Amino acid sequence: MYDVLIIGGGAAGFYAAIHVAENRPNTKIAILERGKEVLTKVKVSGGGRCNVTHAEFNPADLSKNYPRGEKELLGPFHTYASGDTVGFFEERGVALKIEDDGRMFPVSNSSQTIIDCFVSEVDRLGIQVKTHCSVTGIEQIEEAGKKKWKVAVGDSSLTSKKLILATGSNPKMWGYIEALGHSIVSPVPSLFTFNIKDERISTIPGVATQAEVHVVPKKNFGKKVKLHKSDISTLTSEGPLLITHWGMSGPAILKLSAWGARVLEAYNYQFKIQVNWVPEYHKDGLLELLLQVKQVEKKTILRSKVLDIPKRLWVNLVKASGIDDTTTWPEVSKQQLQTLAEQLTAGIFQVNGKSTFKEEFVTAGGVDLKEVNFKTYESKILPSLYFAGEIINVDAITGGFNFQNAWTGGYIAAKGVVEDLNNNFD
C-alpha cells in the first residue's frame, strides 16, 4: 500500500513527487514509468538544452500563452509561476539564464543538469521510481470503509490512497479515466510547421525574417467547420518566420499552429495563408512608398532592396511580381509596383500538410477543464485523483510555457495531496 502513486515519469510527475515528499516526510511514494527511462521529454527539449520556463513573471501575461487553459491557469499562476520555478532550481544549485527572446535554460546549456537534479532529489527523499511499469488498468476500490486506488501493472497490482496522473498525451490513460466517468476532449496536434511548395520560397531555405501570418478562412474546406469571430481573430500571428526545405516554421508559424490547432485539423491541414513580410506596412501605404522610390532611384529593382527584408526574399518576390532582372525603377509600371506591394504585404501561400516541430510533441486535448478543481488539481468527478501536466486540456505556444504548466500543476497537485493526506490521516 502506497500513500501516493504517480503515473508518468516525466516533468510533472517528478515535480509532484518531490513536493509531496518535501512537504510530508515519510510519505510512501512511487513514480510509475512505462518506458525504460524517465524524463525523456526533458532530455530532448530545447535541442537538448531544456527550455525550463519563460521569463514572464506576471500571471495574467503568462496565462496568455496558453491557447487551451488561459482562463483556468490564471489562478494557479498566482500560486506558482515562473519565478517560483527559478527559485526551485536555484535552491538546488541549478542556475538558469534568460535568453533574448525570454526563454530560460540552465546555465550549463544541458538538459542533463535538470535530469540530474530531479534524480538526485527523488533519491534523497526516498521516492521509488519504477521503470518498465506499464499500467494496464485503474479502478477505485473500497477497503475498511475507505476508498483507495488499485492500479494494474501487468499481472500484478499496486494500491494507493492518492493517485496523481501525469502521463501527458496518452490515449490509453485517457481511455481508463473516461471509463471511470471523465470527459476527454479529443486530441489534435499543436505546435507544428507548415508544408508549402512554392517557387517564392523553395530556393531560399534558412532565410528568416519578421512577418505577420493570417489563415485565410474557408467555409467548406476539407471537413466542414464553422468559424466563429473568436476563431478568426486568433488565426493571425506575428513574429520571426523561418523558411525551411519543407515550407515555413519559426515562432510566427508555431503560434498560429497552436492557436488554430482545432480549426486547422478541421481543414485537414489543407488551407491558405496570407503573409505580410513587412508587418509595419499595409498594401496601400507600401505602394505609396514604392512610387516615391520610383521618382528618385535609378538602379534596377532587383539590385536596390528598399525594405528591411532579406535580400534573397526580396529578389524572389520581385520576380514573382513579373519584374525582370533588368527593369529599373524609372521603367517599372504602377501596375507592377501594385503587384509587388501585394506580394510583400498579402502574398497567398497554399499549405498542404504539417510537420512536427523538432522533438517537441504537443497535443491539444485531454481531460475536460470543467472537471478539474484548479485550486488543487483534483478531479471533480473522482475524489483523491489528481492531474498534472498535459493530461488535461492545456497546451501552450513554444518557449518554455508547456514546462511551466507541468511545474505549476505538479506543485499544486502535490499541495492538494498533502493537505488531503493530513486531513484524512490513518
Side-chain angles (χ1 to χ4, degrees), residues 17 26 77 91 95 107 162-163 169 245 247 264 324 350 374 392 410 415-416:
N26 303 316
F77 284 154
E91 283 164 19
V107 169
K162 309 297 170 192
L163 184 62
S169 304
H245 288 285
L264 301 184
D324 65 33
Q350 175 67 47
F374 281 92
I392 62 176
K415 194 176 166 192

Side-chain angles (χ1 to χ4, degrees), residues 10 17 41 44 118 135 141 143 168 184 221 242-243 322 335 345 349 379 393 424:
K41 199 165 180 180
V44 300
F118 283 146
V135 171
I141 59 172
E143 282 183 0
I184 304 299
F221 200 71
L242 174 67
I243 295 168
Q335 179 60 52
T345 61
F349 293 81
S379 163
N393 185 26
N424 298 281

Side-chain angles (χ1 to χ4, degrees), residues 304-371:
S304 51
K305 177 173 72 83
V306 296
L307 295 164
D308 186 22
I309 65 170
K311 176 72 174 175
R312 289 191 293 160
L313 178 62
W314 168 262
V315 168
N316 281 10
L317 295 179
V318 168
K319 289 179 177 177
S321 304
I323 300 169
D324 65 33
D325 298 14
T326 60
T327 303
T328 62
W329 282 97
E331 294 168 341
V332 72
S333 69
K334 183 178 179 181
Q335 179 60 52
Q336 286 175 311
L337 290 182
Q338 282 177 327
T339 304
L340 178 57
E342 189 160 329
Q343 286 286 351
L344 286 160
T345 61
I348 300 295
F349 293 81
Q350 175 67 47
V351 178
N352 292 306
K354 61 178 175 55
S355 294
T356 303
F357 174 62
K358 298 184 179 176
E359 300 89 355
E360 301 193 12
F361 309 109
V362 175
T363 301
V367 177
D368 193 318
L369 302 184
K370 294 193 289 290
E371 298 173 359

Side-chain angles (χ1 to χ4, degrees), residues 91-112:
E91 283 164 19
R92 288 156 181 81
V94 178
L96 303 181
K97 62 177 179 176
I98 304 171
E99 303 211 331
D100 291 344
D101 58 4
R103 292 181 302 160
M104 297 191 74
F105 294 88
V107 169
S108 67
N109 273 331
S110 172
S111 58
Q112 194 61 44

